[in-house]
Amino acid sequence: MGKTGLVIEGGGMRGIYAAGVLDVLMDYDLSIDGIIGVSAGAIHGCSYISGQKGRSIRYYKKYCTDERFMSMKSFLKTGNVVGTQFCYHDLPEKLDPFDYEAFRKSGIRFYVGCSNLVTGKPEYFPITDMKEQIDLVRASASLPLLSQIVDYQGMKLLDGGCTDSIPVRAFRKMGYEKNLVILTRPDGYVKKKEHYLFSGWIYRKYPNFRRALSQRHLRYNAEVEDIRKLERGKSVYVIRPSQDLTIGRLTKDPEEIQHVYDIGREDALRVMDEVLAWNRQE
């Protein structure tokens, strides 16, 4: 079998579940060649590569009520509900330093999924320098309607979840044929059609992206079904929430954030023997 990958779903604050799982995984000697994260999955996945256990839950709890971190005030002032300067520069560079050197030396390839507004298709970018390429991580986590479009090398980018929420198939095409997948929805979840108010006007220049938004639920449910088939064939192992995560996408409650993180830890610990056995299989 080819390389082993780790695929991390996003979901706004629901993604702190994945951070709990990842912190448990750090305690075990897993053979992982590459990681692909989407939206919040990208935010938490990078700290796994830098080996900074506990970093995500620490700064999420400390700054979640800070209007510079995430607030409607930030949205009204800048067009971004998540503060760009604070979250992607002040925080990782000064307040809770990201270990850029450890990331660079880790040997694990890191990719983020973004949505291309012009084509309406997903883009998968390799990240080799977190400081220089931080705008790609920001683009991956830039929620539609609540974020400014990110310009990167002539491309117009937003949240990767809009076009490929769980990029297992894409990662397999890159050579990562065996994948550990962290989902943030429980078993049996079926995504319903979402209605993005004012998207027709706001994204009027991007008809392909508007179409992608309207069909997001269809792609998501098809991806989950694909993952089930791969799971039965043992090329995928899935860690998913043991219960519905009712946390709000933009919650500012530290206790609720801690609760969802703890569920992630508990779920991961419960299956680690199985994960290790699966990881050892050729």
Side-chain angles (χ1 to χ4, degrees):
M1 193 170 284
K3 295 177 287 187
T4 299
L6 175 58
V7 181
I8 313 169
E9 183 183 8
M13 281 296 191
R14 201 172 65 246
I16 201 65
Y17 171 88
V21 174
L22 291 168
D23 279 354
V24 170
L25 295 182
M26 284 190 208
D27 290 333
Y28 295 84
D29 187 23
L30 290 179
S31 175
I32 297 292
D33 300 301
I35 295 177
I36 187 165
V38 176
S39 195
I43 298 292
H44 302 306
C46 62
S47 288
Y48 178 90
I49 293 181
S50 65
Q52 292 176 276
K53 181 180 175 181
R55 181 173 180 269
S56 288
I57 187 63
R58 181 175 62 242
Y59 77 75
Y60 262 57
K61 286 181 67 179
K62 184 173 182 178
Y63 295 110
C64 66
T65 58
D66 192 314
E67 65 183 27
R68 298 171 298 172
F69 183 77
M70 181 180 64
S71 65
M72 289 309 297
K73 183 174 182 180
S74 172
F75 175 69
L76 294 172
K77 287 176 64 177
T78 68
N80 291 300
V81 72
V82 173
T84 298
Q85 178 63 37
F86 184 79
C87 290
Y88 297 102
H89 296 285
D90 295 348
L91 210 161
E93 294 171 15
K94 302 172 185 175
L95 300 175
D96 197 322
F98 182 79
D99 194 336
Y100 297 102
E101 188 66 10
F103 177 92
R104 188 179 66 81
K105 292 180 176 179
S106 73
I108 301 174
R109 298 277 288 172
F110 185 53
Y111 302 80
V112 299
C114 302
S115 295
N116 186 316
L117 271 66
V118 174
T119 65
K121 302 290 184 181
E123 304 276 357
Y124 313 103
F125 298 98
I127 305 291
T128 56
D129 187 320
M130 277 291 293
K131 185 175 283 189
E132 292 299 318
Q133 296 175 285
I134 193 63
D135 280 346
L136 285 173
V137 179
R138 177 167 67 91
S140 182
S142 289
L143 299 171
L145 305 179
L146 294 176
S147 308
Q148 294 276 20
I149 296 168
V150 177
D151 290 291
Y152 187 83
Q153 295 183 351
M155 288 176 281
K156 307 288 187 182
L157 304 173
L158 277 178
D159 182 3
C162 299
T163 51
D164 193 355
S165 296
I166 320 166
V168 171
R169 288 289 180 185
F171 221 28
R172 285 173 63 83
K173 289 179 180 177
M174 293 184 213
Y176 297 88
E177 297 177 13
K178 180 179 176 182
N179 287 285
L180 176 60
V181 180
I182 303 175
L183 300 181
T184 59
R185 294 290 193 182
D187 193 22
Y189 173 79
V190 177
K191 195 172 190 64
K192 297 178 180 178
K193 185 177 177 64
E194 297 174 282
H195 298 282
Y196 294 88
L197 295 177
F198 310 114
S199 62
W201 179 75
I202 293 173
Y203 301 119
R204 59 193 180 280
K205 296 180 181 178
Y206 308 106
N208 291 326
F209 182 65
R210 294 203 313 270
R211 188 177 306 111
L213 284 178
S214 70
Q215 297 174 350
R216 182 177 184 179
H217 64 299
L218 301 176
R219 283 191 307 278
Y220 184 91
N221 294 332
E223 286 174 346
V224 170
E225 187 55 38
D226 273 349
I227 289 168
R228 288 185 188 282
K229 293 176 182 176
L230 293 168
E231 194 175 9
R232 289 194 290 269
K234 306 298 183 184
S235 63
V236 158
Y237 190 98
V238 180
I239 300 178
R240 51 171 66 87
S242 55
Q243 58 187 273
D244 190 23
L245 304 180
T246 57
I247 189 170
R249 184 178 287 270
L250 302 176
T251 189
K252 299 172 78 67
D253 182 351
E255 291 186 5
E256 183 65 12
I257 291 169
Q258 181 71 55
H259 175 62
V260 173
Y261 170 85
D262 288 342
I263 294 172
R265 284 192 56 86
E266 291 162 8
D267 287 351
L269 286 167
R270 191 178 303 117
V271 300
M272 275 314 301
D273 287 344
E274 290 183 11
V275 171
L276 291 169
W278 170 86
N279 189 241
R280 288 192 295 266
Q281 293 174 354
E282 294 296 332

